Amino acid sequence: MKKLIVSLAFVCVSISFFLSLCGTTTEAEKRLSAGQTLKPNTNYSVADPSAPDYEAPHNTRVKDPYFKVIPKLSPKVPVQLRPHSRLVMTDVEDRTFFDYFAWQTFVGLVWPADQKLRGVSDQSVTKANFANYNSSNESKPNRVPIVMETFRTFDDAFPGAASITNPPPAWNAEPYSRPFDLDLTSKGHNPTALDEAFSSPLIDQNRQYVRYGLQLNEVMYEFIRQNQWYLKENLPKSPTQAALPPLPVDTNGNIISLQQPQTNTTIQQTVYGNSIELKTSWRLMITAEDTVGYPWRKVDDLSRYFVSTANVSNAVTGEIMKNRLVGLVGLHIVVKTPQFTQGIWSSFEHVDNLEAPAGIRPSFHDTSDTFYPQGFSYQPKAITSTQGAVKEEDRTPVEVSRIYKIPTTPVGTSPTLSDGLSTVGLNKAYQKLFKGTVWQYYQLVITQWPTDPTSFYAKPFLYPRGPKPDPNQPDAIQAAYQRAVENATSAYPRWAGLPIPQTGSLNATMETYFQNPDPQKNGNTMTFQPLENTSCMGCHYGASDMDFSWGLKLRTYPQGYNQGRINQEDTDLLKEPANVK
């Protein structure tokens, strides 16, 4: 058969965004050079006929398209979306499949972890005794580490200047143990790790700063470690985009390595599977009241939270507070699959974040019914080297409202989904499944995915949020920038497969201040932040040159080199390719 390799000019499409190479594959063909790609798969169906959940693509509506969507307790994180035909279903009708993928991924990630190996589930835990672990029973909570808790952190993967002489350790160089260090940030290093991404800190009702962590699974971690992508010099250079796993496979299922002429290296994926990136948000748990010294503090009901222990620095003094109890309040999950290498993005929250049953104070809202149209009562100042953290007694809790509601579509039910096909319906189904554990108090708030993943071609040159190009730059750059701005007003990111939903993919604990950005008055004009700021993929399109990973873009050493956004400082982009750094 004919090789299905398409040569692209100038703008190169990341080869990780496509599925398989048809026909006979020679050993030489298992390495693709920069500027080459594979013919894309044009449907969402599982491609491997030998896969246990394989179903041939179908272009007609079946009687019950959701009959295989069965919520279950399983330690296996799904590797592909459940098969179905998107050709005869609307994007909203598709939501059930993506929500199901998100929930089953959640189940696998919160499964009790193996005591010795990172990222591996405890094989002695079955669905029959799952409720005995991380139980909601106050007398027998049995708080054990979970699979995602054992993932490596981005600080592990990107040691900074130290990586030159002391590279990142192997995945299982040492076993996971509590307490873990929670002073992490997603977009770059920060001494106190208080701010949300590109934003400000969040203060709960107990006047405690919310803390954040960022982790990655073995597939992504070992790919970065073994290819030395923690060093900026080893990354592909603009206009070639970086490609995180899964890399393409040949007809025999063997991973095709990538030749990277710009750095004279061959990029390899040695651990099979999908890249998974996690972001978590945590509250410091209060276990005792002090009505005299700290009357605003209320004891947290630990039976309603997944609780771990962490070493956390005091936001004001910098003193390390060891073995502090922390409760999970938010979780972002990004999974890159063979069909969706732009990622399937999902976000979970604790059910008590914004509202709670009688007798329980919500974490980020008082007990009133006040609704804040912007999504928050006020925005604290960002923590910087000159603007430090505020003392606890001087802090004011941030009251948070949910602007974008948890989806109630699609409507209808299925024999396996009696609570409904919507996100709200699946939440009810899984909360019943988790009954007796702390996980019954968590909910999926949104899933986002590209509706046409095969159309993706990253164009960081056309990223519209950067400064307007200098008038002296070529007309082509000016026109491209203007097109990007116009396209962003209706569908963003236009070149990433038109995601659904296009806006409102937010977590109240991680993008609090982007829910409905506060308009700023400039003379007689009110200006708003772009709508793409309210979208996972919209925000991360700014890191599309690094395969949507802001962590990869902003943590490689040394920093200061901008991979390829329209910016007045990016003058190298206008030179001949040979001169592009």
Side-chain angles (χ1 to χ4, degrees):
M1 294 175 85
K2 216 172 179 181
K3 289 187 303 181
L4 299 176
I5 298 179
V6 181
S7 178
L8 298 179
F10 188 61
V11 178
C12 303
V13 183
S14 170
I15 75 167
S16 77
F17 292 89
F18 304 108
L19 280 174
S20 60
L21 186 65
C22 299
T24 303
T25 305
T26 65
E27 193 64 33
E29 290 168 344
K30 293 181 181 179
R31 292 193 305 242
L32 299 179
S33 64
Q36 290 182 314
T37 185
L38 302 175
K39 183 177 180 179
N41 184 12
T42 56
N43 58 66
Y44 290 177
S45 295
V46 173
D48 182 4
S50 64
D53 54 356
Y54 174 75
E55 177 181 307
H58 49 82
N59 296 326
T60 58
R61 182 182 290 275
V62 297
K63 182 178 181 181
D64 181 9
Y66 307 105
F67 74 103
K68 285 190 176 182
V69 181
I70 306 173
K72 58 185 177 181
L73 291 176
S74 171
K76 295 183 179 180
V77 173
V79 296
Q80 303 198 61
L81 197 73
R82 297 300 297 185
H84 68 292
S85 173
R86 71 177 299 267
L87 301 178
V88 294
M89 303 187 75
T90 67
D91 293 327
V92 169
E93 289 175 316
D94 273 344
R95 175 177 280 133
T96 305
F97 298 100
F98 290 90
D99 286 352
Y100 177 69
F101 179 90
W103 262 117
Q104 288 301 139
T105 300
F106 181 91
V107 174
L109 293 176
V110 304
W111 205 268
D114 185 274
Q115 296 182 13
K116 296 181 180 180
L117 300 176
R118 290 176 177 270
V120 177
S121 61
D122 185 341
Q123 298 301 306
S124 68
V125 179
T126 65
K127 62 181 180 181
N129 64 3
F130 180 84
N132 295 332
Y133 299 84
N134 296 313
S135 166
S136 58
N137 185 333
E138 294 183 61
S139 62
K140 297 180 180 180
N142 196 13
R143 305 295 194 193
V144 300
I146 57 176
V147 170
M148 73 174 190
E149 196 177 350
T150 70
F151 280 12
R152 286 285 187 177
T153 70
F154 263 57
D155 277 358
D156 291 336
F158 300 98
S163 63
I164 298 177
T165 56
N166 189 23
W171 176 258
N172 277 312
E174 65 281 328
Y176 170 80
S177 62
R178 288 174 171 171
F180 67 93
D181 295 325
L182 191 50
D183 286 339
L184 306 170
T185 55
S186 63
K187 310 309 178 191
H189 294 280
N190 181 295
T192 53
L194 295 176
D195 291 345
E196 295 180 4
F198 305 121
S199 189
S200 302
L202 177 60
I203 304 171
D204 69 12
Q205 291 293 307
N206 283 323
R207 301 193 187 183
Q208 306 300 309
Y209 286 111
V210 175
R211 305 304 177 105
Y212 301 93
L214 190 76
Q215 297 166 279
L216 60 170
N217 72 339
E218 182 180 8
V219 173
M220 185 172 173
Y221 179 84
E222 283 299 316
F223 182 83
I224 291 172
R225 186 183 76 87
Q226 295 187 31
N227 292 303
Q228 298 185 346
W229 273 20
Y230 47 85
L231 298 175
K232 185 77 76 174
E233 64 186 24
N234 295 322
L235 294 174
K237 303 302 184 288
S238 182
T240 301
Q241 278 73 51
L244 292 167
L247 298 187
V249 296
D250 60 25
T251 54
N252 296 319
N254 299 313
I255 296 175
I256 303 174
S257 59
L258 313 183
Q259 289 180 315
Q260 193 168 281
Q262 300 157 318
T263 57
N264 195 29
T265 57
T266 299
I267 306 304
Q268 297 181 333
Q269 178 186 347
T270 59
V271 180
Y272 278 64
N274 299 330
S275 289
I276 300 179
E277 192 171 333
L278 306 176
K279 185 176 181 182
T280 50
S281 54
W282 304 80
R283 282 185 52 229
L284 301 181
M285 297 282 98
I286 303 299
T287 57
E289 290 189 10
D290 183 348
T291 56
V292 177
Y294 303 93
W296 51 83
R297 292 184 180 178
K298 301 297 180 184
V299 173
D300 288 303
D301 184 351
L302 302 186
S303 69
R304 296 176 67 86
Y305 288 87
F306 171 68
V307 177
S308 187
T309 55
N311 296 329
V312 183
S313 63
N314 183 296
V316 177
T317 67
E319 176 189 0
I320 300 299
M321 302 181 290
K322 296 185 177 181
N323 290 298
R324 286 296 304 267
L325 288 179
V326 291
L328 182 69
V329 292
L331 170 64
H332 273 329
I333 306 174
V334 186
V335 184
K336 297 178 183 294
T337 74
Q339 299 110 326
F340 297 93
T341 48
Q342 300 99 319
I344 297 176
W345 305 70
S346 57
S347 196
F348 293 81
E349 290 184 29
H350 195 277
V351 297
D352 295 344
N353 281 353
L354 308 185
E355 55 186 24
I360 298 179
R361 184 176 65 177
S363 298
F364 306 106
H365 201 293
D366 57 27
T367 54
S368 71
D369 294 328
T370 304
F371 179 78
Y372 297 93
Q374 297 301 327
F376 50 89
S377 56
Y378 83 105
Q379 183 172 354
K381 292 183 179 180
I383 306 299
T384 65
S385 57
T386 57
Q387 175 66 45
V390 178
K391 293 182 179 179
E392 184 174 336
E393 56 267 28
D394 297 328
R395 298 172 196 162
T396 301
V398 179
E399 313 292 342
V400 183
S401 297
R402 193 183 307 282
I403 298 299
Y404 297 93
K405 302 302 181 183
I406 300 175
T408 56
T409 56
V411 297
T413 61
S414 169
T416 59
L417 298 171
S418 58
D419 291 300
L421 305 174
S422 67
T423 306
V424 170
L426 262 69
N427 285 347
K428 292 179 180 179
Y430 279 91
Q431 286 163 356
K432 291 178 181 178
L433 199 64
F434 280 132
K435 187 174 179 57
T437 72
V438 296
W439 305 115
Q440 66 183 309
Y441 300 114
Y442 290 84
Q443 60 186 347
L444 175 65
V445 295
I446 197 67
T447 304
Q448 188 182 35
W449 69 94
T451 60
D452 185 7
T454 64
S455 73
F456 178 78
Y457 53 105
K459 289 193 174 183
F461 303 106
L462 308 187
Y463 183 52
R465 291 193 318 194
K468 186 175 182 179
D470 185 279
N472 295 324
Q473 291 182 352
D475 290 342
I477 294 283
Q478 307 288 343
Y481 181 89
Q482 187 57 39
R483 285 196 302 273
V485 172
E486 293 173 355
N487 289 328
T489 62
S490 57
Y492 192 88
R494 180 175 179 81
W495 299 283
L498 296 178
I500 185 166
Q502 291 179 17
T503 60
S505 300
L506 298 168
N507 187 296
T509 70
M510 300 184 196
E511 294 96 9
T512 308
Y513 311 106
F514 291 109
Q515 291 191 80
N516 190 8
D518 190 19
Q520 304 296 316
K521 191 169 185 178
N522 183 12
N524 295 324
T525 304
M526 299 296 284
T527 59
F528 296 79
Q529 292 192 46
L531 284 176
E532 65 266 21
N533 282 2
T534 69
S535 161
C536 298
M537 293 185 68
C539 169
H540 280 259
Y541 189 72
S544 60
D545 51 337
M546 291 293 103
D547 216 354
F548 285 91
S549 177
W550 277 114
L552 179 61
K553 186 178 181 74
L554 298 182
R555 283 177 173 264
T556 47
Y557 179 82
Q559 278 299 307
Y561 170 67
N562 197 325
Q563 174 72 0
R565 291 167 60 182
I566 285 188
N567 189 299
Q568 294 175 349
E569 298 176 359
D570 291 341
T571 54
D572 283 337
L573 298 179
L574 304 178
K575 298 179 181 179
E576 295 296 324
N579 296 326
V580 176
K581 296 181 180 180

